[in-house]
Amino acid sequence: TPISPRIGHALVPMPNGNLLLFGGDAASPSAGDWVWDGVRWLPFTTGVPRRDGAAVAAFGPGRLLVYGGTDPGGNLTDTWRSDDGSTWTNVPSALVPGVLAEMSMVGVPGEDRAVLLGRSGGTNWQTWFYDVANGWAAGPQFVAPSAVLVADSVRRDVQVFLGSGPGLSVQRLAGSQWLPLATLPAGPAIGEIAFDARRGRSVLLQPFGNRATDEFDGRALVSSQVGSGAPVPAEHTAMAY
């Protein structure tokens, strides 16, 4: 399938079970969006202007949400939502998260809202919440070298993995607050993370030369495997189940 090379793309599970390959290579008009239906890649049209580094998530009863990113003109802070997977609308909000780097976003399992996490500068991170009725609302801020979100659909949990020097700390979302969950002896950075609902595990891919893969079962690391190859920047890869 002629999917063009890209950087800054996202790969997101859709409510219908497909995977959405969104964005990347915003300067190339031919770099369209795609869906994986379990057998093959198919072209997909969202109606959202092309961009790199956007936050993308499925949430609630079949909704999809896109926030921010960059295009050749600079930083973007717009919000796009689809309630049926085909019709997209640029939706206003009284508050917006503003320009954030290294964003990740997930839907809260069992709820009609999404959680956005992004770096506002240095090691400062912001949490934002989105729902259809109220738009964006600011949440907790914290300091960490790195941070990334994952939604655990088996335990109906949202977790944040925080780089903490020699390992990782994991916190879970309780309402609108982050609470400690576990400390892991993994590497200090995560290249990609995705939740495997069939096995009930979060799979962590580290962006180092050994390309180590770790698995988290909601309480502890349950396996670790060292791969091989050159280091790969996180913006060059995307992973989803």
Side-chain angles (χ1 to χ4, degrees):
T1 301
I3 299 177
S4 62
R6 60 194 64 204
I7 297 172
H9 50 290
L11 188 61
V12 182
M14 299 177 70
N16 63 3
N18 291 342
L19 297 177
L20 171 62
L21 177 62
F22 177 86
D25 198 10
S28 174
S30 64
D33 300 319
W34 296 78
V35 293
W36 173 256
D37 66 0
V39 178
R40 60 193 178 278
W41 288 104
L42 300 170
F44 186 77
T45 301
T46 63
V48 180
R50 288 215 62 76
R51 60 196 63 208
D52 301 335
V56 189
F59 75 107
R63 307 186 201 278
L64 289 164
L65 190 68
V66 173
Y67 175 76
T70 62
D71 67 9
N75 294 311
L76 302 169
T77 57
D78 51 346
T79 304
W80 292 77
R81 191 183 78 231
S82 174
D83 295 333
D84 58 9
S86 59
T87 303
W88 291 80
T89 304
N90 185 352
V91 292
S93 178
L95 293 175
V96 293
V99 177
L100 298 173
E102 300 176 33
M103 294 186 294
S104 58
M105 184 165 62
V106 297
V108 180
E111 299 184 25
D112 193 9
R113 65 172 179 155
V115 184
L116 170 69
L117 184 68
R119 185 169 56 81
S120 56
T123 56
N124 299 309
W125 295 82
Q126 296 182 7
T127 309
W128 287 80
F129 301 101
Y130 180 89
D131 65 65
V132 173
N134 302 299
W136 290 105
Q141 302 185 31
F142 55 83
V143 174
S146 61
V148 64
L149 294 175
V150 69
D152 182 332
S153 58
V154 172
R155 299 165 189 84
R156 301 173 75 83
D157 223 357
V158 171
Q159 299 156 5
V160 58
F161 286 71
L162 305 173
S164 56
L168 295 169
S169 64
V170 186
Q171 298 185 13
R172 62 178 295 270
L173 185 66
S176 298
Q177 300 297 320
W178 295 110
L179 300 180
L181 178 63
T183 300
L184 310 179
I190 298 174
E192 297 293 339
I193 186 169
F195 187 72
D196 182 354
R198 182 178 61 85
R199 297 186 301 137
R201 297 179 178 185
S202 295
V203 180
L204 295 68
L205 178 64
Q206 296 179 16
F208 306 123
N210 63 9
R211 302 297 285 163
T213 302
D214 298 297
E215 296 185 357
F216 179 70
D217 68 356
R219 292 184 179 274
L221 286 179
V222 291
S223 70
S224 182
Q225 180 176 351
V226 176
S228 62
V232 179
E235 65 269 19
H236 288 222
T237 61
M239 180 171 69
Y241 284 87

